[in-house]
Amino acid sequence: MRTQVGIIGAGPAGLLLSHLLHLRGISSVVLERRSREYVERRVRAGVLEQGTVDTLVEAGVGERLLREGLPHSGIELRYGGAGHRIPFEKLVPGRAITVYGQQEVVKDLIAARLAAGGDIRFDVDDVAVHSLEDAPYVTFGGQRLDCDVIAGCDGFHGISRPAVPDGVLTAYEREYPFAWLGILARVAPSAEELIYAQTERGFALHSMRSPEISRFYLQVPAGEDLAAWPDERIWAELKTRLETVPGFTLATGEIFEKGITPLRSFVTEPMQYGRLFLAGDAAHIVPPTGAKGMNLAVADVRVLTDALARFYADGSTEPLDGYSAACLKRVWRAQHFSWWMTTLLHTFDSDDAYARRLQTSYLDYVTSSEAAATTLAENYVGLPYDAPVPAEHAVPFSGGTP
């Protein structure tokens, strides 16, 4: 088999890349080791930046998103017995977020690709990439796929990044001493917007997936056993951390999904080697506090799509050379914002009174200073997409005119 772009992974990054390339007349094959049912039900992020919404709508896959997504024009920071709203409509006019589950984005993209005759192969095994420097190809299930370029969109634990020779990539990583216990519950949200709660007992987040489904997170110790958290304990702890302002009562309901996710910051540089280009979680991970994971993947894919379109239009490799640098500029901004939100809202050491006072001081500043609140708001809703990176920051692309 032969295609122009071989894509490893059928998450949001791989599927969106395939669809955007299709719109530019560029062929691709998407390989996914999991089943279609699994990837369409896998619960992940649910907050879409303004730029992500715009990208999906412009790509023709935003009809259900616009109909069922929940636009939000602010968030609440809750601490010290009071709630403080960060009003996006005032601080960053015309920009907002939309709550719409990642699995719903995946469903929309799969439907669009299949309707257009796209080649998505689920349940493939023994996937490996070869000859990344000049004539790349992918093997899977006893078959071979030749291509001009390989896009590694297969997540943090995928096969793409480890295929790069030792010593080429530099990893920057930080692990946090806590995790998030997340649940989905059949209960209407108790607030119209997301609530980020900072307490001495730890962080809590009130979110939602629809008018009937709520999403909650609790800070728990790293390595916590999920069996130690029966439903009754989860609701009791959520109430303790969220019912801290007068008049607020947390509605409860049936918990139908729960899990524990460790928090990690990770970046690999560069995000490319030869004819392999990494996108999304294959290249970077952020703690979910800043809601940046899937949004960064969309930004990567936009850059890669434009670069590949230029490559196939006139043979220019300059945009591909600059892919990593262009993406990393945004990645590091999101890394800092996610780290900042995490350190601002989580309890690191219950005995460190000095650190707790610093947290409170900065929360007071963010909620009383329009300049500080604007910084939070513009990062949260998503910064504009960047211009191309100068050539001096480029990574040479192996190969010439296609």
Side-chain angles (χ1 to χ4, degrees), residues 6 23 67 231 256 337 397:
L23 297 177
R67 185 175 67 249
D231 294 1
F256 64 92
F337 177 68
F397 172 69

Side-chain angles (χ1 to χ4, degrees), residues 156 171-176 264-268 332 335:
F156 183 78
Y172 301 88
E173 188 169 14
R174 172 162 297 180
E175 294 190 2
Y176 297 85
R264 171 191 290 117
S265 297
F266 174 85
V267 181
T268 188
W332 279 112
Q335 286 283 335

Side-chain angles (χ1 to χ4, degrees), residues 107-177:
K107 292 175 186 175
D108 296 341
L109 287 167
I110 289 175
R113 293 303 302 121
L114 295 180
D119 193 343
I120 309 173
R121 306 195 177 203
F122 297 100
D123 293 307
V124 299
D125 55 11
D126 298 325
V127 179
V129 296
H130 312 269
S131 300
L132 301 178
E133 296 84 357
D134 49 12
Y137 65 95
V138 185
T139 55
F140 63 98
Q143 302 184 67
R144 171 171 169 154
L145 174 67
D146 290 287
C147 44
D148 301 320
V149 168
I150 297 174
C153 306
D154 50 346
F156 183 78
H157 299 290
I159 59 96
S160 298
R161 189 179 67 252
V164 178
D166 292 342
V168 173
L169 304 180
T170 300
Y172 301 88
E173 188 169 14
R174 172 162 297 180
E175 294 190 2
Y176 297 85

Side-chain angles (χ1 to χ4, degrees), residues 136-354:
Y137 65 95
V138 185
T139 55
F140 63 98
Q143 302 184 67
R144 171 171 169 154
L145 174 67
D146 290 287
C147 44
D148 301 320
V149 168
I150 297 174
C153 306
D154 50 346
F156 183 78
H157 299 290
I159 59 96
S160 298
R161 189 179 67 252
V164 178
D166 292 342
V168 173
L169 304 180
T170 300
Y172 301 88
E173 188 169 14
R174 172 162 297 180
E175 294 190 2
Y176 297 85
F178 40 74
W180 274 16
L181 190 164
I183 67 165
L184 283 169
R186 290 189 175 90
V187 59
S190 300
E192 295 183 355
E193 296 177 336
L194 277 70
I195 302 172
Y196 286 78
Q198 188 267 342
T199 75
E200 290 190 1
R201 295 180 65 90
F203 167 78
L205 173 61
H206 171 288
S207 183
M208 62 285 295
R209 285 295 178 268
S210 74
E212 299 81 26
I213 302 295
S214 294
R215 181 73 157 157
F216 299 97
Y217 294 99
L218 284 169
Q219 175 186 346
V220 297
E224 185 78 331
D225 184 1
L226 187 59
W229 287 88
D231 294 1
E232 296 77 10
R233 183 186 178 190
I234 291 173
W235 286 122
E237 192 62 30
L238 283 168
K239 282 178 169 288
T240 299
R241 299 187 195 184
L242 289 169
E243 291 182 346
T244 57
V245 299
F248 178 84
T249 301
L250 181 67
T252 63
E254 175 199 357
I255 297 175
F256 64 92
E257 184 167 309
K258 65 175 77 172
I260 293 181
T261 303
L263 269 62
R264 171 191 290 117
S265 297
F266 174 85
V267 181
T268 188
E269 293 191 13
M271 291 170 53
Q272 62 193 95
Y273 170 73
R275 291 187 171 227
L276 171 68
F277 296 84
L278 304 175
D281 287 359
H284 42 72
I285 297 285
V286 289
T289 326
K292 292 291 165 241
M294 182 170 64
N295 295 296
L296 278 180
V298 171
D300 292 346
V301 165
R302 285 176 58 104
V303 175
L304 186 54
T305 298
D306 289 343
L308 287 168
R310 276 286 306 279
F311 179 57
Y312 284 110
D314 58 19
S316 172
T317 65
E318 182 178 348
L320 286 171
D321 294 343
Y323 168 74
S324 183
C327 292
L328 286 169
K329 183 177 180 182
R330 188 180 190 91
V331 166
W332 279 112
R333 173 86 297 275
Q335 286 283 335
H336 180 268
F337 177 68
S338 300
W339 166 85
W340 176 75
M341 286 283 284
T342 301
T343 56
L344 183 68
L345 295 165
H346 288 73
T347 301
F348 280 79
D349 185 345
S350 59
D351 296 326
D352 191 343
Y354 179 80

Side-chain angles (χ1 to χ4, degrees), residues 47-118:
V47 174
L48 308 186
E49 294 178 352
Q50 184 68 56
T52 297
V53 173
D54 294 343
T55 298
L56 295 171
V57 171
E58 291 165 5
V61 291
E63 179 181 353
R64 196 163 67 94
L65 161 62
L66 294 178
R67 185 175 67 249
E68 300 179 10
L70 305 175
H72 288 195
S73 57
I75 60 172
E76 179 184 327
L77 300 182
R78 183 172 292 188
Y79 70 100
H84 307 266
R85 185 171 184 267
I86 306 297
F88 300 156
E89 74 278 7
K90 173 185 176 182
L91 302 171
V92 283
R95 301 182 68 78
I97 61 165
T98 299
V99 175
Y100 189 67
Q102 174 176 307
Q103 71 274 22
E104 305 306 322
V105 174
V106 166
K107 292 175 186 175
D108 296 341
L109 287 167
I110 289 175
R113 293 303 302 121
L114 295 180

